[in-house]
Amino acid sequence: MPPGSALTLKVTLLEVEPPVWRRIAVPGDKTLPELNRVLQTVMGWTEDHVHLFDDGERQYGPLDSELTDVEDESGVTVEKLLHRPEAHLLWEYDALGDSWEHLLELERIGPPAAGEEVPRCLDGARACPPEDIGGAPGYEDFVEAIADPTHGEHEEMLARVKGRFDLEAFDVDAVNAALSGLRRA
């Protein structure tokens, strides 16, 4: 891979309907911990829980976590695991709890567009589920409860999100503003 290459990845949160996804461009030489920070930012997670990456053969994660049987992620770069067309990687957030699995699919390798700083969010759809909602099954219950004012858990679920949650909300400009700090790091 040529130095300075950017990888365009489609990130899809699995087992959630309608789909929550992002398209991002990241430097190929980012390490997995750095990619984790980018993913946390673009998906809207708060980095309160442990994560892991799975390439189908090995699992990588932080060695200072409660995870067992993972290899140290700190020296592994994105381009090492995603270096050929249609390559993919699984990123699991809250691996010891809600277990939010995301499919990372490599769409393109090449230089960033002229004047484009990376990492950058290129596109996406829908709001990320709230933290600690019970994974995909809990999110389905949450969506049902907030949509129905007569639902027995309507008020409780709304309180968890401070009274509002827009399932369709996604603002690429706000995500890129949040990523700007990671570009300087």
Side-chain angles (χ1 to χ4, degrees):
M1 185 173 306
S5 290
L7 284 68
T8 302
L9 307 176
K10 183 171 183 190
V11 181
T12 305
L13 179 57
L14 301 176
E15 299 183 26
V16 170
E17 289 296 329
V20 175
W21 62 273
R22 307 291 184 261
R23 182 166 285 110
I24 62 173
V26 296
D29 62 358
K30 284 271 187 208
T31 63
L32 293 182
E34 292 169 322
L35 177 61
N36 175 62
R37 285 189 287 283
V38 169
L39 294 168
Q40 294 282 340
T41 302
V42 301
M43 292 305 295
W45 299 118
T46 59
E47 207 164 351
D48 289 339
H49 303 285
V50 71
H51 69 274
L52 65 84
F53 291 91
D54 187 330
D55 70 357
E57 295 178 19
R58 294 181 183 88
Q59 291 186 333
Y60 302 89
L63 293 183
D64 62 349
S65 72
E66 298 173 47
L67 295 174
T68 58
D69 298 326
V70 296
E71 294 188 29
D72 183 8
E73 68 180 4
S74 63
V76 180
T77 62
V78 179
E79 63 194 3
K80 178 181 178 183
L81 300 179
L82 297 172
H83 56 274
R84 66 186 189 293
E86 299 178 21
H88 63 276
L89 182 64
L90 190 71
W91 173 62
E92 185 177 354
Y93 175 59
D94 197 358
L96 299 172
D98 285 356
S99 187
W100 295 105
E101 292 184 335
H102 304 73
L103 180 64
L104 283 59
E105 299 172 278
L106 177 62
E107 293 184 330
R108 178 183 175 278
I109 299 172
E116 180 181 85
E117 294 183 272
V118 289
R120 173 166 300 291
C121 185
L122 306 170
D123 199 4
R126 291 177 201 81
C128 188
E131 296 272 350
D132 301 319
I133 202 74
Y139 180 60
E140 189 175 315
D141 295 342
F142 167 80
V143 170
E144 181 181 312
I146 65 168
D148 179 3
T150 65
H151 191 284
E153 295 181 353
H154 179 76
E155 293 302 321
E156 176 187 340
M157 292 297 178
L158 274 180
R160 292 185 74 159
V161 291
K162 297 181 172 96
R164 36 182 271 233
F165 183 82
D166 181 355
L167 179 72
E168 295 298 321
F170 174 71
D171 183 343
V172 71
D173 294 328
V175 171
N176 281 315
L179 283 173
S180 67
L182 297 180
R183 290 185 204 121
R184 291 188 285 274

